[in-house]
Amino acid sequence: MTVYVIAQLKITDRASYDRYQARFFDVFKKFSGRLLSADENPTVLEGAWDRDKLVLMSFPDEAAYRAWGSSAEYLEISKDREAGAQAVVLLAKGFG
């Protein structure tokens, strides 16, 4: 079952976050994920939003997401993401 990962980021150190971003695709493409959106200026339609960036990804299933998220390669680059941004990350199951 397809899963979606929604990350809401508050960028706190642009240089660290940019290092993460520069290395992201080299790791991401190895794990069957699809980047659906990475928007630093999403339109807020309802409510308040105090973040700087929204990222939406999909994976074929939860196992594929977990393989990516726990891989040594991702853990290495995620140090820059953690240093450069506060994140709220959600995993949502698709239909079917």
Side-chain angles (χ1 to χ4, degrees):
M1 172 186 307
T2 300
V3 297
Y4 299 93
V5 178
I6 303 111
Q8 299 178 47
L9 302 162
K10 180 75 170 171
I11 298 171
T12 56
D13 178 346
R14 177 54 76 170
S16 293
Y17 186 78
D18 286 349
R19 277 194 306 274
Y20 164 76
Q21 195 168 262
R23 298 171 63 197
F24 175 84
F25 273 111
D26 287 340
V27 175
F28 187 73
K29 66 184 178 186
K30 298 176 184 179
F31 290 91
S32 302
R34 289 185 54 216
L35 182 62
L36 303 174
S37 180
D39 192 342
E40 288 198 23
N41 193 24
T43 302
V44 177
L45 299 176
E46 188 173 328
W49 194 65
D50 69 346
R51 301 290 163 156
D52 300 312
K53 185 173 185 175
L54 176 80
V55 178
L56 176 61
M57 300 172 275
S58 70
F59 290 86
D61 52 37
E62 190 170 341
Y65 160 71
R66 295 206 181 273
W68 169 71
S70 65
S71 70
E73 296 158 300
Y74 183 72
L75 292 175
E76 178 59 33
I77 69 167
S78 70
K79 292 174 187 175
D80 280 326
R81 189 204 36 91
E82 291 167 1
Q86 298 171 351
V88 174
V89 181
L90 305 166
L91 178 71
K93 295 177 181 172
F95 292 106

